Amino acid sequence: MKHLSDIVKQRFNYAEVLYWLLFIFSMLFKCLYFQFTTKLNTDPFFSPTNITMMLSSLAILLILSSLIAIIFNKYRFIALFVFNILLTALLMADTNFFRYYYNLLTVPCFFQMDIKLLSSVDQSIMSLFLIKDVIYLLDLPFMLMGVVILHKNAGKLYFKKRVVRALSLLVVGMVTFFSVFSCTDIHTLAYNSNYSAKNLGVFYSHYYNTKLFIEESILEDNTLTNEEKGAIIEFFKNKNSKFTGNRLNGVAKDKNLIVVQMEAIQHFVINRKIEGKEITPNLNKLIKECLYFDNVYYQVAGGNTSDAEFLTNTSMYPVKEGSVYHRFPENTYHSLARIMKEKGYDTYSLHGFEKYFWNRNEMYKALKFDTFYSQDDFELDDFAGWDGQTLSDSSFFRQSLDKIDTSKPFYSFFITLSSHHPFNYFEDYDFYVGEFEGTFIGNYLKAANYLDKCIGEFIENLKQRGLYDNSLLVLYGDHSAVPKIESDGLMQLLGVEYNDPDWTKLQKVPVIIHYPQQENPEVISTIGGQIDILPTVANLMDFDVPYALGKDLINTDENYAVLRNGSVVTKDFIYLNDLKEVYDYNSGKLLDMDLYIDKIKPYIDELKISDTIINKNGFKYINID
Ligand code: GP9
Ligand code: MN
């Protein structure tokens, strides 16, 4: 007959195993929930991607558990519980961050989230917490019960027993991980953090991104090698030899330049009606007398609004991780403001929010803006949008024009604010959206309608001041308004079914340009990105941009946009880097990836060149003439 103490011991062992299993399986479940709630994964549950993601996450949990098993003895139960809380907090933070930025948190993102940034976006971030996220917390009461019961009765384990335990966990974890890893495309890992999160799970992705950050920012030598210098010069030589045409060249020579970056204005709101009314009547009217570029993709990454500013003002790609405004404000840039200054213009940037946000205050020095008018310089006399406590676009535009010395040639860069996510400020705004009343998409349409009204007022004001016909006017949207988790609402509005290539085609922003005394409106459907705005402006104003990575959309027959996540859109195909899939541009049919690898490479090389220049401050050392 078994001794009583043996039975107690055996029960304790079972309970301990159960406790570890609860930890492992609840974490795995949370990983799975993350994939679907963020719409990172839309595949069926048991798709190969999900299975590899689960196996890789399991492997990492086993490896981490082995560390706990070897480090902690009597306190192993508490350690596992604390560990659970930490991983859960990480997953929850990721979920919210992902819902807004469609990216995982990374070390640079984390550091740029200073107190100011966090307090300012908290309304947006909080709106992304969903009741169902409580799922993340469901296991914690059980784990807590487990700790209370087990820790009290836990004895110390012999060292040998701990080593055997830890080693078994480690070996099973390692073998599982490397079997899964061997089936992964390592090349894509380097260019797309979402690929790793999707295929190998959130935990691996964090490990990989942090490793990359340490290698790139801390360990790597940031001096430009001769080889890199040569590659950059060769790249621009090639690129610049392609500028041939001169249609509309110089139509705005020596005129003022007014650029308006419109917050969260996507292409699909243009020329669209809801309940019989135009969403953007003023922009639609403007388009009828302008050049309207209707095939331009946003190319922002973690720097969102600031990335869009960067693309327009430098014709370079923003960095893959974090925001270039935060990470590289000391670099040399051949920016639009620098060029205009050299031509004798006064240069202004104007934005009705805190001057430190997105590190604008510092970055504008590098971009060579003479003057930055931020929230501090405006009278806060009217509020609209975002959290309801920020200067309205209407007042922003009205006050801005008084700040510019219009007696001298100027370049002014306006950044609007009111139509900022999450748009619920506009819920009661007087623009009826029918079945979309009270929904995310409905509120967005109202925000877009408000912005449009302000643009209408602005144009009137420009006309009254005689600036409309004396300036080159450029308006464009900065980035997406509708994250993937809200795709259902957008699909309902457009009356179409979701599919990946069509979703990509929706990631466009309107670009509208009016030049002085323009008589012929035109719709230009060349495929491009925000990176192409500067070269297009350069042609219209007749100056050179030898350092631009973009193309002049009026004088090119190249149709392409490289997105910052490594996806590529051309008139023939759409390459989705997340999925490693190529689709026919027109029919949306899936194509054979192998036939496209060579075609995609030169596009991706543009990202590489841009990254090298920025990471190594290349323009400090290179002269291209
Ligand atoms: C804040 C504004 C918003 O100044 O530009 O930035 P976003 O959150 O859209 O990147
Ligand atoms: Mn923005």
Side-chain angles (χ1 to χ4, degrees):
M1 210 177 90
K2 260 191 179 164
H3 198 273
L4 186 65
S5 69
D6 283 344
I7 298 176
V8 171
K9 219 163 144 191
Q10 198 177 39
R11 288 215 175 133
F12 182 85
N13 286 342
Y14 286 146
E16 175 158 7
V17 171
L18 271 179
Y19 183 74
W20 286 77
L21 286 178
L22 175 64
F23 165 75
I24 301 263
F25 282 104
S26 53
M27 286 320 299
L28 276 181
F29 181 73
K30 291 176 199 185
C31 290
L32 191 67
Y33 175 73
F34 173 87
Q35 300 281 324
F36 287 90
T37 194
T38 56
K39 299 212 172 160
L40 172 59
N41 229 317
T42 46
D43 292 336
F45 243 46
F46 294 106
S47 66
T49 319
N50 265 331
I51 292 167
T52 47
M53 183 281 295
M54 291 291 271
L55 284 174
S56 153
S57 303
L58 170 69
I60 288 166
L61 286 167
L62 292 177
I63 295 167
L64 293 172
S65 303
S66 79
L67 292 178
I68 292 193
I70 193 79
I71 298 172
F72 298 94
N73 196 347
K74 184 170 160 50
Y75 286 93
R76 61 192 183 278
F77 298 102
I78 296 179
L80 204 64
F81 182 62
V82 172
F83 199 53
N84 182 328
I85 291 176
L86 292 177
L87 291 181
T88 304
L90 177 69
L91 278 171
M92 290 179 83
D94 274 334
T95 305
N96 269 21
F97 194 78
F98 205 96
R99 281 182 184 143
Y100 188 54
Y101 290 109
Y102 204 62
N103 248 313
L104 285 184
L105 265 169
T106 56
V107 181
C109 290
F110 192 78
F111 282 126
Q112 79 195 25
M113 280 214 161
D114 49 38
I115 304 297
K116 275 191 181 63
L117 200 150
L118 262 185
S119 65
S120 308
V121 291
D122 59 4
Q123 220 232 347
S124 277
I125 297 282
M126 286 314 287
S127 77
L128 296 169
F129 258 118
L130 304 178
I131 307 258
K132 60 183 180 178
D133 293 344
V134 83
I135 281 186
Y136 282 124
L137 308 174
L138 287 183
D139 60 321
L140 292 181
F142 298 99
M143 288 284 292
L144 185 65
M145 245 160 57
V147 179
V148 172
I149 298 167
L150 292 168
H151 179 66
K152 211 168 55 195
N153 301 310
K156 287 200 167 181
L157 298 176
Y158 291 119
F159 184 66
K160 219 164 111 189
K161 192 164 179 186
R162 268 164 60 205
V163 171
V164 171
R165 248 186 209 197
L167 270 182
S168 337
L169 288 167
L170 186 69
V171 169
V172 178
M174 287 291 198
V175 170
T176 314
F177 181 76
F178 283 108
S179 330
V180 176
F181 191 75
S182 61
C183 313
T184 315
D185 179 352
I186 301 166
H187 176 74
T188 309
L189 283 183
Y191 261 85
N192 191 339
S193 49
N194 287 352
Y195 179 81
S196 61
K198 189 171 174 175
N199 289 271
L200 296 172
V202 177
F203 300 139
Y204 175 77
S205 195
H206 278 302
Y207 157 77
Y208 182 80
N209 288 338
T210 311
K211 185 175 127 252
L212 213 64
F213 170 75
I214 293 171
E215 281 168 7
E216 281 178 357
S217 304
I218 302 173
L219 304 178
E220 204 172 87
D221 179 8
N222 276 339
T223 39
L224 193 72
T225 63
N226 280 339
E227 200 182 307
E228 286 165 337
K229 203 169 159 178
I232 293 169
I233 292 172
E234 188 60 32
F235 174 85
F236 281 109
K237 222 165 86 191
N238 250 329
K239 181 119 210 158
N240 295 337
S241 69
K242 286 185 194 155
F243 289 128
T244 46
N246 63 355
R247 200 163 78 80
L248 296 180
N249 180 248
V251 288
K253 194 175 167 72
D254 298 330
K255 302 294 181 187
N256 304 311
L257 172 60
I258 299 174
V259 179
V260 180
Q261 179 171 296
M262 301 180 288
E263 175 62 35
I265 294 302
Q266 275 188 253
H267 158 270
F268 69 82
V269 293
I270 302 295
N271 289 330
R272 184 168 301 280
K273 285 185 176 172
I274 182 105
E275 294 294 312
K277 289 184 313 305
E278 291 174 87
I279 299 164
T280 56
N282 291 297
L283 288 172
N284 300 349
K285 197 170 121 217
L286 187 66
I287 281 166
K288 293 205 183 90
E289 51 193 65
C290 287
L291 304 175
Y292 174 41
F293 300 86
D294 68 349
N295 231 341
V296 177
Y297 289 78
Y298 65 80
Q299 294 162 305
V300 305
N304 227 23
T305 301
S306 62
D307 280 355
E309 296 181 17
F310 183 75
L311 279 146
T312 306
N313 279 285
T314 65
S315 191
M316 298 182 76
Y317 292 95
V319 286
K320 195 178 132 220
E321 296 291 349
S323 100
V324 62
Y325 269 36
H326 274 274
R327 292 182 57 197
F328 300 98
E330 308 284 334
N331 275 13
T332 300
Y333 298 107
H334 294 281
S335 65
L336 180 51
R338 178 195 283 256
I339 298 167
M340 299 313 271
K341 253 171 88 82
E342 281 163 9
K343 287 163 66 71
Y345 282 54
D346 287 343
T347 59
Y348 305 85
S349 180
L350 305 102
H351 181 54
F353 197 53
E354 293 167 18
K355 62 178 171 211
Y356 302 108
F357 200 89
W358 283 130
N359 205 26
R360 285 187 174 103
N361 204 32
E362 288 308 309
M363 187 63 171
Y364 285 166
K365 293 177 195 156
L367 293 179
K368 300 287 178 229
F369 281 107
D370 296 317
T371 315
F372 173 29
Y373 289 118
S374 69
Q375 193 175 53
D376 298 347
D377 307 296
F378 290 89
E379 198 185 323
L380 300 181
D381 56 359
D382 185 36
F383 303 94
W386 205 350
D387 56 3
Q389 285 155 27
T390 44
L391 182 66
S392 70
D393 285 348
S394 175
S395 176
F396 164 69
F397 276 132
R398 183 168 25 83
Q399 295 184 54
S400 288
L401 283 178
D402 288 334
K403 297 188 183 299
I404 293 166
D405 179 358
T406 53
S407 66
K408 292 196 255 157
F410 65 88
Y411 159 40
S412 61
F413 182 50
F414 296 83
I415 303 139
T416 75
L417 183 62
S418 299
S419 49
H420 191 280
H421 182 275
F423 319 119
N424 44 19
Y425 171 88
F426 291 99
E427 178 135 13
D428 300 321
Y429 184 65
D430 185 20
F431 180 68
Y432 183 61
V433 291
E435 59 179 321
F436 296 99
E437 279 296 322
T439 65
F440 174 88
I441 195 86
N443 293 344
Y444 170 58
L445 299 182
K446 289 174 186 231
N449 179 260
Y450 171 79
L451 184 270
D452 178 80
K453 178 184 82 103
C454 301
I455 297 283
E457 293 167 1
F458 181 60
I459 304 280
E460 258 327 292
N461 203 340
L462 288 178
K463 285 183 179 166
Q464 275 167 20
R465 291 171 191 245
L467 289 171
Y468 187 69
D469 265 325
N470 208 10
S471 312
L472 183 74
L473 176 64
V474 181
L475 300 108
Y476 66 94
D478 63 351
H479 51 71
S480 138
V482 185
K484 219 174 191 177
I485 53 159
E486 299 292 349
S487 59
D488 290 351
L490 181 53
M491 296 300 112
Q492 191 186 335
L493 175 78
L494 305 180
V496 293
E497 291 281 311
Y498 177 93
N499 69 55
D500 290 316
D502 282 347
W503 176 256
T504 305
K505 280 185 176 176
L506 282 169
Q507 307 314 308
K508 289 192 287 203
V509 288
V511 177
I512 303 164
I513 300 185
H514 182 264
Y515 58 84
Q517 278 82 42
Q518 179 170 356
E519 277 169 8
N520 302 320
E522 227 180 296
V523 177
I524 297 176
S525 298
T526 307
I527 298 175
Q530 290 160 323
I531 204 161
D532 302 326
I533 294 174
L534 174 52
T536 307
V537 166
N539 170 57
L540 295 168
M541 297 193 83
D542 192 21
F543 58 80
D544 291 332
V545 278
Y547 298 90
L549 274 97
K551 55 192 180 294
D552 166 12
L553 289 169
I554 300 167
N555 291 294
T556 185
D557 34 12
E558 289 186 86
N559 274 272
Y560 74 91
V562 183
L563 312 189
R564 186 59 261 206
N565 64 2
S567 293
V568 180
V569 183
T570 76
K571 69 178 182 353
D572 303 316
F573 65 83
I574 300 180
Y575 165 63
L576 299 184
N577 197 24
D578 265 8
L579 306 171
K580 297 282 302 171
E581 282 173 358
V582 188
Y583 296 87
D584 184 274
Y585 179 84
N586 293 309
S587 69
K589 245 180 46 207
L590 192 62
L591 303 170
D592 181 357
M593 180 71 208
D594 289 342
L595 303 177
Y596 284 83
I597 290 173
D598 291 344
K599 291 186 182 155
I600 293 163
K601 194 178 165 295
Y603 296 114
I604 301 296
D605 284 348
E606 279 198 12
L607 292 176
K608 287 189 187 162
I609 288 284
S610 185
D611 286 346
T612 310
I613 297 169
I614 295 175
N615 284 318
K616 306 207 164 176
N617 195 6
F619 286 152
K620 193 173 169 191
Y621 311 101
I622 295 177
N623 229 330
I624 294 155
D625 280 319

